Amino acid sequence: MLPIALDAGWVHEVHRPLRVPNVRLDNYLPYVIAGLSSKRMAALGSGDGFCLARSGYTDDEAETLCAVAADFADFVQRQHGRGWTGSGRAMSFFENNDMLMPSTSLVLFWVDEVSYWLILGGEPLINNTAFVELVWGLRAAGAKFSLG
């Protein structure tokens, strides 16, 4: 599947070595998520809406945005039960009518069957190595505590 994804341009090969972060996740997450936003305003929330890390947002803003993301997921799940076929994996808010650049985006992703929300202020920059480093860091942290 990887050669097909590379050929289609869905994924890109990173041509430099990436090392697994060997730091406390609490110290690492704010650093890596900041690079995913053009305004360096980002929050990482659990699938349940708990704020795990923030950069550029106040504590209250980050907590509120993480709760909003989880509420959005609940809304989408209820609508799927009513027959809605939309995906519900991301949502953007816009401040101006031309809707060219979002002011805030909510992006759902999974690492080892655990859901997370990225809340990004300004232009989302998830097509870069910072996202790879975030996923790798979460996966490595989870592997440290797995029993099998």
Side-chain angles (χ1 to χ4, degrees):
M1 185 171 182
L2 182 59
I4 295 169
L6 284 167
D7 187 52
W10 298 333
V11 296
H12 299 278
E13 184 177 355
V14 177
H15 294 285
R16 65 178 175 87
L18 292 175
R19 296 185 337 185
V20 173
N22 190 18
V23 295
R24 287 190 55 208
L25 204 55
D26 291 346
N27 298 334
Y28 177 70
L29 287 177
Y31 161 77
V32 75
I33 64 173
L36 298 172
S37 160
S38 64
K39 293 183 177 181
R40 301 198 61 78
M41 295 178 68
L44 177 68
S46 67
D48 297 330
F50 295 103
C51 184
L52 304 174
R54 66 174 182 81
S55 177
Y57 289 116
T58 67
D59 285 337
D60 288 342
E61 289 172 326
E63 293 285 344
T64 300
L65 288 167
C66 290
V68 165
D71 286 346
F72 173 67
D74 290 342
F75 167 78
V76 168
Q77 189 173 19
R78 286 192 310 273
Q79 299 315 311
H80 277 270
R82 294 182 174 127
W84 183 57
T85 59
S87 70
R89 293 188 183 100
M91 175 174 62
S92 291
F93 298 98
F94 298 84
E95 291 180 1
N96 51 18
N97 291 336
D98 59 8
M99 297 179 69
L100 295 176
M101 191 63 60
S103 58
T104 307
S105 297
L106 312 176
V107 181
L108 179 63
F109 69 102
W110 290 265
V111 176
D112 291 336
E113 299 180 23
V114 177
S115 61
Y116 297 93
W117 282 98
L118 266 176
I119 295 90
L120 304 169
E123 180 183 3
L125 303 175
I126 56 174
N127 188 19
N128 67 39
T129 56
F131 187 70
V132 174
E133 291 170 352
L134 171 62
V135 171
W136 198 348
L138 291 170
R139 189 162 197 297
K144 285 181 184 178
F145 300 104
S146 68
L147 299 174

